[in-house]
mmCIF file of all heavy atoms in Angstrom:
data_model
loop_
_atom_site.group_PDB
_atom_site.id
_atom_site.type_symbol
_atom_site.label_atom_id
_atom_site.label_comp_id
_atom_site.label_asym_id
_atom_site.label_seq_id
_atom_site.Cartn_x
_atom_site.Cartn_y
_atom_site.Cartn_z
ATOM 1 N N ALA E 31 99.963 152.074 -35.618
ATOM 2 C CA ALA E 31 99.147 150.980 -36.094
ATOM 3 C C ALA E 31 99.312 149.807 -35.201
ATOM 4 O O ALA E 31 100.410 149.532 -34.598
ATOM 5 C CB ALA E 31 99.701 150.601 -37.453
ATOM 6 N N MET E 32 98.186 149.076 -34.978
ATOM 7 C CA MET E 32 98.236 147.793 -34.209
ATOM 8 C C MET E 32 97.474 146.686 -34.981
ATOM 9 O O MET E 32 96.573 147.049 -35.784
ATOM 10 C CB MET E 32 97.652 148.095 -32.834
ATOM 11 C CG MET E 32 98.490 149.028 -32.002
ATOM 12 S SD MET E 32 97.976 149.250 -30.348
ATOM 13 C CE MET E 32 98.533 147.730 -29.544
ATOM 14 N N TYR E 33 97.866 145.450 -34.689
ATOM 15 C CA TYR E 33 97.312 144.383 -35.412
ATOM 16 C C TYR E 33 96.990 143.186 -34.452
ATOM 17 O O TYR E 33 97.778 142.971 -33.436
ATOM 18 C CB TYR E 33 98.261 143.885 -36.439
ATOM 19 C CG TYR E 33 98.917 145.013 -37.336
ATOM 20 C CD1 TYR E 33 99.966 145.688 -36.827
ATOM 21 C CD2 TYR E 33 98.411 145.269 -38.594
ATOM 22 C CE1 TYR E 33 100.533 146.687 -37.593
ATOM 23 C CE2 TYR E 33 98.983 146.327 -39.306
ATOM 24 C CZ TYR E 33 100.047 146.967 -38.897
ATOM 25 O OH TYR E 33 100.598 148.019 -39.630
ATOM 26 N N TRP E 34 96.002 142.292 -34.860
ATOM 27 C CA TRP E 34 95.802 141.133 -34.161
ATOM 28 C C TRP E 34 95.921 139.980 -35.290
ATOM 29 O O TRP E 34 95.284 140.040 -36.269
ATOM 30 C CB TRP E 34 94.470 141.073 -33.495
ATOM 31 C CG TRP E 34 94.482 141.609 -32.119
ATOM 32 C CD1 TRP E 34 93.963 142.732 -31.681
ATOM 33 C CD2 TRP E 34 95.032 140.950 -30.925
ATOM 34 N NE1 TRP E 34 94.194 142.925 -30.332
ATOM 35 C CE2 TRP E 34 94.784 141.848 -29.835
ATOM 36 C CE3 TRP E 34 95.620 139.735 -30.713
ATOM 37 C CZ2 TRP E 34 95.146 141.487 -28.561
ATOM 38 C CZ3 TRP E 34 96.013 139.401 -29.400
ATOM 39 C CH2 TRP E 34 95.716 140.254 -28.391
ATOM 40 N N TYR E 35 96.708 138.929 -34.908
ATOM 41 C CA TYR E 35 96.809 137.837 -35.716
ATOM 42 C C TYR E 35 96.464 136.511 -34.994
ATOM 43 O O TYR E 35 96.609 136.395 -33.694
ATOM 44 C CB TYR E 35 98.310 137.592 -36.167
ATOM 45 C CG TYR E 35 98.849 138.629 -37.033
ATOM 46 C CD1 TYR E 35 99.413 139.763 -36.525
ATOM 47 C CD2 TYR E 35 98.674 138.512 -38.427
ATOM 48 C CE1 TYR E 35 100.094 140.761 -37.328
ATOM 49 C CE2 TYR E 35 99.273 139.528 -39.221
ATOM 50 C CZ TYR E 35 99.900 140.564 -38.743
ATOM 51 O OH TYR E 35 100.366 141.541 -39.616
ATOM 52 N N ARG E 36 95.999 135.519 -35.668
ATOM 53 C CA ARG E 36 95.784 134.228 -35.186
ATOM 54 C C ARG E 36 96.778 133.339 -35.775
ATOM 55 O O ARG E 36 97.024 133.340 -37.034
ATOM 56 C CB ARG E 36 94.381 133.757 -35.489
ATOM 57 C CG ARG E 36 94.095 132.306 -35.128
ATOM 58 C CD ARG E 36 92.726 131.961 -35.470
ATOM 59 N NE ARG E 36 92.516 130.517 -35.348
ATOM 60 C CZ ARG E 36 91.466 129.919 -34.846
ATOM 61 N NH1 ARG E 36 90.494 130.566 -34.433
ATOM 62 N NH2 ARG E 36 91.386 128.622 -34.710
ATOM 63 N N GLN E 37 97.355 132.450 -34.993
ATOM 64 C CA GLN E 37 98.341 131.475 -35.514
ATOM 65 C C GLN E 37 97.981 130.111 -35.137
ATOM 66 O O GLN E 37 97.787 129.723 -33.953
ATOM 67 C CB GLN E 37 99.827 131.841 -34.994
ATOM 68 C CG GLN E 37 100.867 130.872 -35.704
ATOM 69 C CD GLN E 37 102.224 131.297 -35.251
ATOM 70 O OE1 GLN E 37 102.506 131.677 -34.117
ATOM 71 N NE2 GLN E 37 103.197 131.137 -36.187
ATOM 72 N N ASP E 38 97.727 129.241 -36.215
ATOM 73 C CA ASP E 38 97.470 127.807 -36.003
ATOM 74 C C ASP E 38 98.614 127.053 -36.599
ATOM 75 O O ASP E 38 99.301 127.591 -37.436
ATOM 76 C CB ASP E 38 96.210 127.386 -36.779
ATOM 77 C CG ASP E 38 94.955 128.158 -36.182
ATOM 78 O OD1 ASP E 38 94.531 127.630 -35.195
ATOM 79 O OD2 ASP E 38 94.550 129.158 -36.802
ATOM 80 N N PRO E 39 98.895 125.907 -36.094
ATOM 81 C CA PRO E 39 100.048 125.030 -36.518
ATOM 82 C C PRO E 39 99.989 125.001 -38.104
ATOM 83 O O PRO E 39 98.996 124.609 -38.709
ATOM 84 C CB PRO E 39 99.853 123.749 -35.882
ATOM 85 C CG PRO E 39 99.034 124.074 -34.619
ATOM 86 C CD PRO E 39 98.192 125.173 -35.017
ATOM 87 N N GLY E 40 101.079 125.226 -38.721
ATOM 88 C CA GLY E 40 101.152 125.144 -40.210
ATOM 89 C C GLY E 40 100.401 126.082 -40.971
ATOM 90 O O GLY E 40 100.427 126.047 -42.157
ATOM 91 N N GLN E 41 99.716 127.083 -40.348
ATOM 92 C CA GLN E 41 98.975 128.053 -41.039
ATOM 93 C C GLN E 41 99.627 129.440 -41.092
ATOM 94 O O GLN E 41 99.057 130.353 -41.760
ATOM 95 C CB GLN E 41 97.573 128.222 -40.292
ATOM 96 C CG GLN E 41 96.693 127.057 -40.527
ATOM 97 C CD GLN E 41 96.342 126.791 -41.945
ATOM 98 O OE1 GLN E 41 95.980 127.655 -42.709
ATOM 99 N NE2 GLN E 41 96.440 125.530 -42.383
ATOM 100 N N GLY E 42 100.765 129.684 -40.557
ATOM 101 C CA GLY E 42 101.336 130.967 -40.610
ATOM 102 C C GLY E 42 100.442 131.913 -39.767
ATOM 103 O O GLY E 42 99.847 131.444 -38.908
ATOM 104 N N LEU E 43 100.541 133.197 -40.084
ATOM 105 C CA LEU E 43 99.788 134.168 -39.279
ATOM 106 C C LEU E 43 98.712 134.762 -40.176
ATOM 107 O O LEU E 43 98.863 135.132 -41.217
ATOM 108 C CB LEU E 43 100.726 135.410 -38.920
ATOM 109 C CG LEU E 43 101.643 135.206 -37.751
ATOM 110 C CD1 LEU E 43 102.733 134.241 -38.021
ATOM 111 C CD2 LEU E 43 102.302 136.642 -37.360
ATOM 112 N N ARG E 44 97.489 134.747 -39.610
ATOM 113 C CA ARG E 44 96.380 135.295 -40.225
ATOM 114 C C ARG E 44 95.780 136.483 -39.556
ATOM 115 O O ARG E 44 95.598 136.486 -38.374
ATOM 116 C CB ARG E 44 95.282 134.201 -40.450
ATOM 117 C CG ARG E 44 95.723 133.091 -41.375
ATOM 118 C CD ARG E 44 94.565 132.055 -41.588
ATOM 119 N NE ARG E 44 94.298 131.255 -40.414
ATOM 120 C CZ ARG E 44 93.237 130.447 -40.204
ATOM 121 N NH1 ARG E 44 92.276 130.448 -41.208
ATOM 122 N NH2 ARG E 44 93.072 129.849 -39.126
ATOM 123 N N LEU E 45 95.523 137.519 -40.386
ATOM 124 C CA LEU E 45 95.143 138.866 -39.783
ATOM 125 C C LEU E 45 93.647 138.816 -39.362
ATOM 126 O O LEU E 45 92.812 138.538 -40.238
ATOM 127 C CB LEU E 45 95.352 139.900 -40.820
ATOM 128 C CG LEU E 45 95.083 141.298 -40.388
ATOM 129 C CD1 LEU E 45 96.001 141.713 -39.285
ATOM 130 C CD2 LEU E 45 95.300 142.320 -41.571
ATOM 131 N N ILE E 46 93.391 139.197 -38.141
ATOM 132 C CA ILE E 46 92.068 139.298 -37.637
ATOM 133 C C ILE E 46 91.455 140.618 -37.677
ATOM 134 O O ILE E 46 90.480 140.894 -38.386
ATOM 135 C CB ILE E 46 91.943 138.880 -36.162
ATOM 136 C CG1 ILE E 46 92.581 137.431 -35.950
ATOM 137 C CG2 ILE E 46 90.550 138.800 -35.679
ATOM 138 C CD1 ILE E 46 92.717 137.016 -34.480
ATOM 139 N N TYR E 47 92.107 141.679 -37.147
ATOM 140 C CA TYR E 47 91.683 143.062 -37.150
ATOM 141 C C TYR E 47 92.946 143.945 -37.159
ATOM 142 O O TYR E 47 94.041 143.478 -36.708
ATOM 143 C CB TYR E 47 90.867 143.356 -35.931
ATOM 144 C CG TYR E 47 89.415 143.327 -36.138
ATOM 145 C CD1 TYR E 47 88.687 142.127 -35.672
ATOM 146 C CD2 TYR E 47 88.591 144.240 -36.706
ATOM 147 C CE1 TYR E 47 87.392 141.977 -35.796
ATOM 148 C CE2 TYR E 47 87.285 144.141 -36.741
ATOM 149 C CZ TYR E 47 86.616 143.011 -36.336
ATOM 150 O OH TYR E 47 85.237 142.919 -36.523
ATOM 151 N N TYR E 48 92.808 145.102 -37.684
ATOM 152 C CA TYR E 48 93.993 146.013 -37.628
ATOM 153 C C TYR E 48 93.422 147.454 -37.428
ATOM 154 O O TYR E 48 92.287 147.787 -37.768
ATOM 155 C CB TYR E 48 94.933 145.956 -38.847
ATOM 156 C CG TYR E 48 94.162 146.343 -40.130
ATOM 157 C CD1 TYR E 48 94.398 147.663 -40.678
ATOM 158 C CD2 TYR E 48 93.550 145.383 -40.829
ATOM 159 C CE1 TYR E 48 93.858 147.918 -41.904
ATOM 160 C CE2 TYR E 48 92.900 145.796 -42.099
ATOM 161 C CZ TYR E 48 93.050 147.068 -42.565
ATOM 162 O OH TYR E 48 92.588 147.351 -43.898
ATOM 163 N N SER E 49 94.342 148.201 -36.913
ATOM 164 C CA SER E 49 93.854 149.682 -36.537
ATOM 165 C C SER E 49 95.061 150.508 -36.929
ATOM 166 O O SER E 49 96.200 150.364 -36.517
ATOM 167 C CB SER E 49 93.557 149.769 -35.129
ATOM 168 O OG SER E 49 93.452 151.128 -34.775
ATOM 169 N N GLN E 50 94.783 151.503 -37.842
ATOM 170 C CA GLN E 50 95.834 152.363 -38.181
ATOM 171 C C GLN E 50 95.973 153.649 -37.415
ATOM 172 O O GLN E 50 96.951 154.461 -37.532
ATOM 173 C CB GLN E 50 95.814 152.623 -39.669
ATOM 174 C CG GLN E 50 96.161 151.432 -40.557
ATOM 175 C CD GLN E 50 95.919 151.648 -42.017
ATOM 176 O OE1 GLN E 50 95.125 152.454 -42.490
ATOM 177 N NE2 GLN E 50 96.610 150.846 -42.782
ATOM 178 N N ILE E 51 94.886 153.871 -36.728
ATOM 179 C CA ILE E 51 94.868 155.156 -35.931
ATOM 180 C C ILE E 51 93.746 154.968 -34.807
ATOM 181 O O ILE E 51 92.792 154.096 -34.946
ATOM 182 C CB ILE E 51 94.510 156.312 -36.838
ATOM 183 C CG1 ILE E 51 94.845 157.693 -36.132
ATOM 184 C CG2 ILE E 51 93.048 156.275 -37.287
ATOM 185 C CD1 ILE E 51 94.808 158.849 -37.101
ATOM 186 N N VAL E 52 93.900 155.814 -33.738
ATOM 187 C CA VAL E 52 92.942 155.605 -32.655
ATOM 188 C C VAL E 52 91.531 155.895 -33.207
ATOM 189 O O VAL E 52 91.265 156.634 -34.030
ATOM 190 C CB VAL E 52 93.301 156.707 -31.582
ATOM 191 C CG1 VAL E 52 92.250 156.734 -30.515
ATOM 192 C CG2 VAL E 52 94.680 156.464 -30.988
ATOM 193 N N ASN E 53 90.560 155.181 -32.598
ATOM 194 C CA ASN E 53 89.174 155.207 -32.848
ATOM 195 C C ASN E 53 88.739 154.758 -34.272
ATOM 196 O O ASN E 53 87.716 154.992 -34.720
ATOM 197 C CB ASN E 53 88.689 156.658 -32.606
ATOM 198 C CG ASN E 53 88.665 157.100 -31.109
ATOM 199 O OD1 ASN E 53 88.316 156.319 -30.335
ATOM 200 N ND2 ASN E 53 89.032 158.274 -30.918
ATOM 201 N N ASP E 54 89.745 154.028 -34.840
ATOM 202 C CA ASP E 54 89.345 153.426 -36.238
ATOM 203 C C ASP E 54 90.118 152.033 -36.298
ATOM 204 O O ASP E 54 91.239 151.900 -35.866
ATOM 205 C CB ASP E 54 89.950 154.318 -37.249
ATOM 206 C CG ASP E 54 89.455 153.818 -38.583
ATOM 207 O OD1 ASP E 54 88.243 153.533 -38.849
ATOM 208 O OD2 ASP E 54 90.307 153.770 -39.588
ATOM 209 N N PHE E 55 89.255 151.121 -36.777
ATOM 210 C CA PHE E 55 89.837 149.733 -37.050
ATOM 211 C C PHE E 55 89.137 149.114 -38.213
ATOM 212 O O PHE E 55 87.973 149.539 -38.579
ATOM 213 C CB PHE E 55 89.654 148.903 -35.685
ATOM 214 C CG PHE E 55 88.344 148.842 -35.170
ATOM 215 C CD1 PHE E 55 87.422 148.024 -35.619
ATOM 216 C CD2 PHE E 55 88.034 149.721 -34.067
ATOM 217 C CE1 PHE E 55 86.155 147.859 -35.058
ATOM 218 C CE2 PHE E 55 86.853 149.683 -33.479
ATOM 219 C CZ PHE E 55 85.804 148.782 -33.904
ATOM 220 N N GLN E 56 89.817 148.162 -38.842
ATOM 221 C CA GLN E 56 89.274 147.484 -39.973
ATOM 222 C C GLN E 56 89.236 145.931 -39.766
ATOM 223 O O GLN E 56 90.201 145.427 -39.140
ATOM 224 C CB GLN E 56 90.110 147.838 -41.235
ATOM 225 C CG GLN E 56 90.152 149.329 -41.448
ATOM 226 C CD GLN E 56 88.824 149.999 -41.790
ATOM 227 O OE1 GLN E 56 88.018 149.282 -42.372
ATOM 228 N NE2 GLN E 56 88.684 151.255 -41.466
ATOM 229 N N LYS E 57 88.494 145.208 -40.494
ATOM 230 C CA LYS E 57 88.409 143.729 -40.423
ATOM 231 C C LYS E 57 89.592 143.288 -41.287
ATOM 232 O O LYS E 57 89.912 143.769 -42.418
ATOM 233 C CB LYS E 57 87.147 143.263 -40.970
ATOM 234 C CG LYS E 57 86.013 143.502 -40.125
ATOM 235 C CD LYS E 57 84.747 142.810 -40.628
ATOM 236 C CE LYS E 57 83.493 143.071 -39.718
ATOM 237 N NZ LYS E 57 82.241 142.428 -40.311
ATOM 238 N N GLY E 58 90.174 142.178 -40.776
ATOM 239 C CA GLY E 58 91.166 141.475 -41.607
ATOM 240 C C GLY E 58 90.615 140.279 -42.300
ATOM 241 O O GLY E 58 89.374 140.327 -42.584
ATOM 242 N N ASP E 59 91.391 139.248 -42.545
ATOM 243 C CA ASP E 59 90.833 138.038 -43.253
ATOM 244 C C ASP E 59 89.914 137.179 -42.549
ATOM 245 O O ASP E 59 89.108 136.499 -43.161
ATOM 246 C CB ASP E 59 92.095 137.238 -43.815
ATOM 247 C CG ASP E 59 92.958 138.089 -44.795
ATOM 248 O OD1 ASP E 59 92.437 138.866 -45.557
ATOM 249 O OD2 ASP E 59 94.182 137.916 -44.680
ATOM 250 N N ILE E 60 90.080 137.172 -41.243
ATOM 251 C CA ILE E 60 89.251 136.173 -40.432
ATOM 252 C C ILE E 60 88.558 136.881 -39.201
ATOM 253 O O ILE E 60 88.754 136.419 -38.134
ATOM 254 C CB ILE E 60 90.145 134.990 -39.932
ATOM 255 C CG1 ILE E 60 91.267 135.579 -39.196
ATOM 256 C CG2 ILE E 60 90.550 134.174 -41.196
ATOM 257 C CD1 ILE E 60 92.095 134.371 -38.438
ATOM 258 N N ALA E 61 87.917 137.998 -39.488
ATOM 259 C CA ALA E 61 87.274 138.780 -38.435
ATOM 260 C C ALA E 61 86.042 138.179 -37.756
ATOM 261 O O ALA E 61 85.695 138.502 -36.595
ATOM 262 C CB ALA E 61 87.001 140.219 -38.911
ATOM 263 N N GLU E 62 85.363 137.106 -38.393
ATOM 264 C CA GLU E 62 84.177 136.676 -37.909
ATOM 265 C C GLU E 62 84.341 136.037 -36.569
ATOM 266 O O GLU E 62 85.200 135.217 -36.370
ATOM 267 C CB GLU E 62 83.524 135.604 -38.871
ATOM 268 C CG GLU E 62 82.197 135.141 -38.515
ATOM 269 C CD GLU E 62 81.587 134.180 -39.643
ATOM 270 O OE1 GLU E 62 82.093 134.178 -40.701
ATOM 271 O OE2 GLU E 62 80.490 133.653 -39.229
ATOM 272 N N GLY E 63 83.516 136.362 -35.565
ATOM 273 C CA GLY E 63 83.594 135.821 -34.207
ATOM 274 C C GLY E 63 84.526 136.637 -33.331
ATOM 275 O O GLY E 63 84.720 136.236 -32.217
ATOM 276 N N TYR E 64 85.099 137.666 -33.868
ATOM 277 C CA TYR E 64 86.006 138.565 -33.011
ATOM 278 C C TYR E 64 85.503 139.973 -33.050
ATOM 279 O O TYR E 64 84.787 140.420 -34.007
ATOM 280 C CB TYR E 64 87.421 138.511 -33.586
ATOM 281 C CG TYR E 64 88.058 137.127 -33.619
ATOM 282 C CD1 TYR E 64 88.065 136.359 -34.870
ATOM 283 C CD2 TYR E 64 88.697 136.589 -32.562
ATOM 284 C CE1 TYR E 64 88.606 135.130 -34.917
ATOM 285 C CE2 TYR E 64 89.294 135.361 -32.573
ATOM 286 C CZ TYR E 64 89.239 134.546 -33.825
ATOM 287 O OH TYR E 64 89.832 133.386 -33.864
ATOM 288 N N SER E 65 85.972 140.768 -31.986
ATOM 289 C CA SER E 65 85.663 142.203 -32.031
ATOM 290 C C SER E 65 86.791 142.857 -31.274
ATOM 291 O O SER E 65 87.568 142.304 -30.580
ATOM 292 C CB SER E 65 84.344 142.451 -31.287
ATOM 293 O OG SER E 65 84.480 142.264 -29.911
ATOM 294 N N VAL E 66 87.053 144.157 -31.674
ATOM 295 C CA VAL E 66 88.123 144.872 -31.111
ATOM 296 C C VAL E 66 87.573 146.336 -30.809
ATOM 297 O O VAL E 66 86.547 146.747 -31.198
ATOM 298 C CB VAL E 66 89.317 145.016 -32.113
ATOM 299 C CG1 VAL E 66 90.026 143.711 -32.341
ATOM 300 C CG2 VAL E 66 88.811 145.674 -33.394
ATOM 301 N N SER E 67 88.484 147.084 -30.085
ATOM 302 C CA SER E 67 88.201 148.472 -29.909
ATOM 303 C C SER E 67 89.633 149.140 -29.863
ATOM 304 O O SER E 67 90.628 148.473 -29.634
ATOM 305 C CB SER E 67 87.559 148.791 -28.470
ATOM 306 O OG SER E 67 88.345 148.220 -27.527
ATOM 307 N N ARG E 68 89.626 150.505 -30.115
ATOM 308 C CA ARG E 68 90.839 151.210 -30.141
ATOM 309 C C ARG E 68 90.576 152.696 -29.620
ATOM 310 O O ARG E 68 90.618 153.595 -30.249
ATOM 311 C CB ARG E 68 91.516 151.312 -31.624
ATOM 312 C CG ARG E 68 92.897 151.964 -31.599
ATOM 313 C CD ARG E 68 93.953 151.032 -31.289
ATOM 314 N NE ARG E 68 95.234 151.634 -31.080
ATOM 315 C CZ ARG E 68 96.055 151.973 -32.166
ATOM 316 N NH1 ARG E 68 95.776 151.887 -33.381
ATOM 317 N NH2 ARG E 68 97.194 152.543 -31.870
ATOM 318 N N GLU E 69 90.400 152.694 -28.255
ATOM 319 C CA GLU E 69 89.980 153.933 -27.613
ATOM 320 C C GLU E 69 91.181 154.775 -27.209
ATOM 321 O O GLU E 69 91.187 155.930 -27.000
ATOM 322 C CB GLU E 69 89.175 153.609 -26.316
ATOM 323 C CG GLU E 69 87.789 152.952 -26.743
ATOM 324 C CD GLU E 69 86.954 152.597 -25.631
ATOM 325 O OE1 GLU E 69 87.402 152.946 -24.463
ATOM 326 O OE2 GLU E 69 85.946 152.098 -25.804
ATOM 327 N N LYS E 70 92.389 154.036 -27.106
ATOM 328 C CA LYS E 70 93.640 154.766 -26.762
ATOM 329 C C LYS E 70 94.685 154.244 -27.678
ATOM 330 O O LYS E 70 94.682 153.026 -28.193
ATOM 331 C CB LYS E 70 94.022 154.350 -25.366
ATOM 332 C CG LYS E 70 93.100 154.835 -24.226
ATOM 333 C CD LYS E 70 93.625 154.635 -22.860
ATOM 334 C CE LYS E 70 93.845 153.181 -22.604
ATOM 335 N NZ LYS E 70 94.466 152.934 -21.235
ATOM 336 N N LYS E 71 95.669 155.094 -27.917
ATOM 337 C CA LYS E 71 96.729 154.776 -28.927
ATOM 338 C C LYS E 71 97.514 153.500 -28.337
ATOM 339 O O LYS E 71 97.931 152.620 -29.194
ATOM 340 C CB LYS E 71 97.661 155.873 -29.021
ATOM 341 C CG LYS E 71 98.796 155.738 -29.987
ATOM 342 C CD LYS E 71 99.622 156.958 -30.192
ATOM 343 C CE LYS E 71 100.628 156.797 -31.287
ATOM 344 N NZ LYS E 71 101.383 158.155 -31.519
ATOM 345 N N GLU E 72 97.651 153.334 -27.080
ATOM 346 C CA GLU E 72 98.456 152.217 -26.428
ATOM 347 C C GLU E 72 97.737 150.910 -26.404
ATOM 348 O O GLU E 72 98.366 149.905 -26.211
ATOM 349 C CB GLU E 72 98.901 152.734 -25.081
ATOM 350 C CG GLU E 72 99.694 153.936 -24.985
ATOM 351 C CD GLU E 72 98.654 155.206 -24.980
ATOM 352 O OE1 GLU E 72 97.478 155.013 -24.696
ATOM 353 O OE2 GLU E 72 99.227 156.348 -25.198
ATOM 354 N N SER E 73 96.470 150.896 -26.547
ATOM 355 C CA SER E 73 95.696 149.715 -26.223
ATOM 356 C C SER E 73 94.875 149.294 -27.372
ATOM 357 O O SER E 73 94.215 150.046 -28.051
ATOM 358 C CB SER E 73 94.840 149.942 -25.020
ATOM 359 O OG SER E 73 94.097 148.774 -24.657
#
Side-chain angles (χ1 to χ4, degrees):
Chain E
M32 297 187 74
Y33 313 84
W34 273 106
Y35 293 93
R36 171 179 171 141
Q37 187 174 33
D38 297 280
Q41 291 295 318
L43 280 69
R44 293 185 290 169
L45 184 65
I46 305 173
Y47 268 97
Y48 64 98
S49 168
Q50 293 177 330
I51 198 167
V52 176
N53 293 321
D54 187 48
F55 50 83
Q56 306 294 332
K57 293 182 179 180
D59 298 321
I60 55 167
E62 186 175 350
Y64 301 97
S65 66
V66 293
S67 63
R68 186 86 188 276
E69 297 176 2
K70 297 187 299 181
K71 186 175 184 177
E72 302 80 16
S73 179

